[in-house]
Amino acid sequence: MPRMGAEKEVWRLEATGLPFVFPVDTATERGAPLHRRRDGLYGTVTPAE
């Protein structure tokens, strides 16, 4: 899985036109899908604690 910063994640999402990207959160070493929300902003799916 790619490990990249938030700016690169957003760039990759925009550049590819994919509905989401699935990078690894370097702080937790877990997957953290990033997606475009219906309001046009971005959201990250995080695991429940």
Side-chain angles (χ1 to χ4, degrees), residues 26-47:
T26 55
T28 63
E29 292 297 317
R30 296 181 76 171
L34 174 73
H35 62 96
R36 181 178 292 278
R37 300 182 337 192
R38 290 182 184 184
D39 61 6
L41 299 175
Y42 302 99
T44 300
V45 180
T46 55

Side-chain angles (χ1 to χ4, degrees), residues 1-2 5 14 24-25 28 36 40-41 47 49:
M1 301 275 179
E14 293 294 323
V24 173
D25 182 345
T28 63
R36 181 178 292 278
L41 299 175
E49 296 290 323

